Amino acid sequence: MKQNLLLRFVTLMLVSMLISQAAWALSGEGTKDNPYIVTKGADLDVIRAEIEAGKWTSETSKQVYVSLANDIVLTSSFQPIGTKNHPFSGYFYGNFHTISGLNLNYTASNQGLFGCTYAAEISDFILKGSMTSTKSGLSAIGSVVGYADITKIGKVKSYVNITIKNVAQSHIGGIVGHMSSGQRSRVLVQNSSSSNPQPIGFSGILLAKRQ
């Protein structure tokens, strides 16, 4: 019991430290008039921590605005942005830059650059990397978004190889893995492409490949 409380305390402290670093680690305030300006992969780690801590939500006044200033390489410790409980809600402008280094050996569902999105717009970037799994029973796997709801994606090119090795998984896509409630009208993908065009029998947008 004491060990669990200690672990939770340490985790909260680490998240708090990441958030407190945002003032100097990120330029901007994350608002519509003054969006976060991302210049390096570590900036996305800070934004992810803020979202998971509940700083940004789907409420109009609390949606986060993010703008990419240049090409970036994700950190080796990168984790998908947004969870089911705390999805990415807001606007991500890639400004036609490249995000590389998305290298996920995933063992959980809802995987991609963005794990879960709700009330979001994501646009204008190239994504490079790989995603690999050997675990059965997972779902909602997509290079850009794993699980999407009320989400618009435009002008995104994905060069991410999604490889599933001899296991059964569902809702996998080269761009988007799973669309909430199967309502395609809630998820719009425009002028986007994936380097994984071969269907593998699972639902998703621009499907991935299987080994």
Side-chain angles (χ1 to χ4, degrees):
M1 181 69 176
K2 290 183 178 180
Q3 289 182 336
N4 289 337
L5 289 174
L6 178 61
L7 180 60
R8 289 179 62 183
F9 175 76
V10 171
T11 301
L12 287 172
M13 287 295 294
L14 290 173
V15 170
S16 298
M17 288 173 62
L18 278 173
I19 293 175
S20 67
Q21 292 170 357
W24 61 266
L26 291 171
S27 173
E29 298 177 342
T31 62
K32 182 177 181 179
D33 294 329
N34 190 16
Y36 282 144
I37 305 300
V38 171
T39 61
K40 55 186 180 300
D43 293 344
L44 293 184
D45 295 337
V46 175
I47 293 170
R48 174 185 55 77
E50 288 189 346
I51 292 170
E52 292 183 3
K55 180 176 180 178
W56 305 105
T57 70
S58 60
E59 294 179 32
T60 302
S61 62
K62 295 184 178 180
Q63 288 184 310
V64 65
Y65 287 75
V66 181
S67 182
L68 211 59
N70 46 256
D71 296 349
I72 64 170
V73 179
L74 299 177
T75 63
S76 58
S77 60
F78 175 82
Q79 298 177 37
I81 303 168
T83 65
K84 272 291 189 68
N85 292 331
H86 299 286
F88 174 87
S89 295
Y91 299 80
F92 186 94
Y93 304 113
N95 298 313
F96 303 100
H97 294 298
T98 296
I99 300 173
S100 57
L102 179 70
N103 299 313
L104 297 175
N105 292 312
Y106 63 92
T107 58
S109 298
N110 308 320
Q111 296 290 311
L113 179 66
F114 297 89
C116 297
T117 61
Y118 179 82
E121 290 192 17
I122 299 165
S123 63
D124 304 329
F125 61 89
I126 295 171
L127 182 62
K128 296 181 178 181
S130 64
M131 299 173 63
T132 305
S133 180
T134 58
K135 185 176 180 178
S136 291
L138 306 182
S139 66
I141 311 300
S143 65
V144 180
V145 181
Y147 186 98
D149 192 5
I150 314 181
T151 296
K152 180 179 179 180
I153 299 172
K155 297 182 181 179
V156 173
K157 291 186 177 181
S158 173
Y159 297 96
V160 176
N161 293 318
I162 302 175
T163 304
I164 306 144
K165 297 184 177 180
N166 301 315
V167 293
Q169 297 182 1
S170 62
H171 299 99
I172 303 167
I175 298 289
V176 178
H178 182 70
M179 299 161 287
S180 177
S181 304
Q183 300 178 34
R184 292 178 182 271
S185 62
R186 294 167 69 98
V187 180
L188 179 63
V189 178
Q190 295 178 316
N191 302 315
S192 298
S193 63
S194 169
S195 62
N196 285 304
Q198 298 178 339
I200 56 175
F202 300 126
S203 62
I205 296 179
L206 299 178
L207 294 174
K209 64 181 180 180
R210 184 180 188 182
Q211 286 188 349

